[in-house]
Amino acid sequence: HPQKHNTSKIMASHQHQVTLGYWAIRGLGEPCRTLLEYLHVPYKEVLYEKKEDWVPVKEKADFLFPNLPYLEDGEKTITESEAVLTRICQLGGKPEMAAREGDRVEFSQLKNIVIDLQDGITNPSYSSKDVEELKKNVADWIKEGGEFKLKGLNEILGKREWLIGYLTFIDFHLAEICEKFATMDE
């Protein structure tokens, strides 16, 4: 099978440790970390505490589109969380976790729904002055448009274990969102 051969070739050439760079928060880095752990891809992290820590690195970067998160993979550095997650799937020998060919449209749709949910929690996190205001702002967001997305995802997951029907990296994003919702209820 050609795809299996390519996957084996990728794995054979990337047994070294990769580097994940991100802010010193969970955010978009957490699904990357969780996926790296799940797929047993050796990695180290570079965490940036403040903007002042990241700006000089960004300005001197010798790769296109310097951004967080990034994944240094040998001679190549990849940015943008979806590309980082896709590469982690390849490195872990599970390229199908970035969607099989016939599932890419549904995968893309569900990925964007999950990202909308993530934004519905993350954006109020930065603008709320305390936990009570955060809870109110998230509840308002749910009433204003997030509710039908949550209902649709709930309907899908009532019929199957994973969003696409098999484990993909969007399930890792959704798990992180569920963790955030659970934390808000504490």
Side-chain angles (χ1 to χ4, degrees), residues 29-180:
E30 195 63 19
C32 299
R33 288 181 202 100
T34 307
L35 189 59
L36 285 161
E37 292 287 337
Y38 179 80
L39 293 174
H40 306 288
V41 175
Y43 73 100
K44 68 178 182 176
E45 287 188 88
V46 175
L47 300 175
Y48 299 93
E49 296 282 335
K50 302 174 282 187
K51 186 176 181 179
E52 296 79 32
D53 298 334
W54 166 240
V55 170
V57 174
K58 182 178 180 177
E59 289 173 353
K60 293 179 184 172
D62 63 348
F63 55 92
L64 290 175
F65 315 114
N67 201 4
L68 297 173
Y70 66 77
L71 185 74
E72 288 180 358
D73 173 21
E75 296 179 15
K76 185 183 244 182
T77 302
I78 301 161
T79 61
E80 301 306 320
S81 56
E82 182 176 352
V84 169
L85 289 162
T86 298
R87 184 64 179 148
I88 292 168
C89 293
Q90 291 173 336
L91 293 171
K94 298 283 187 180
E96 68 277 6
M97 288 182 71
R100 295 177 186 141
E101 183 67 35
D103 299 324
R104 290 212 175 118
V105 171
E106 182 182 12
F107 178 83
S108 182
Q109 176 183 337
L110 290 169
K111 176 183 54 88
N112 286 297
I113 295 293
V114 169
I115 287 169
D116 287 349
L117 289 177
Q118 178 178 306
D119 290 345
I121 293 176
T122 302
N123 294 342
S125 296
Y126 292 118
S127 62
S128 301
K129 64 181 179 242
D130 57 31
V131 175
E132 291 309 312
E133 184 177 341
L134 171 63
K135 288 179 182 182
K136 181 194 174 307
N137 290 340
V138 170
D140 289 347
W141 176 83
I142 289 170
K143 288 178 196 167
E144 293 169 5
E147 187 172 22
F148 82 96
K149 293 176 183 191
L150 288 167
K151 184 180 177 186
L153 292 174
N154 192 46
E155 185 177 323
I156 290 169
L157 292 172
K159 296 175 184 172
R160 54 190 185 205
E161 185 176 9
W162 308 110
L163 286 172
I164 297 294
Y166 54 91
L167 184 62
T168 67
F169 72 68
I170 57 174
D171 295 295
F172 287 78
H173 268 295
L174 184 58
E176 179 62 12
I177 292 165
C178 291
E179 179 77 21
K180 287 177 182 175

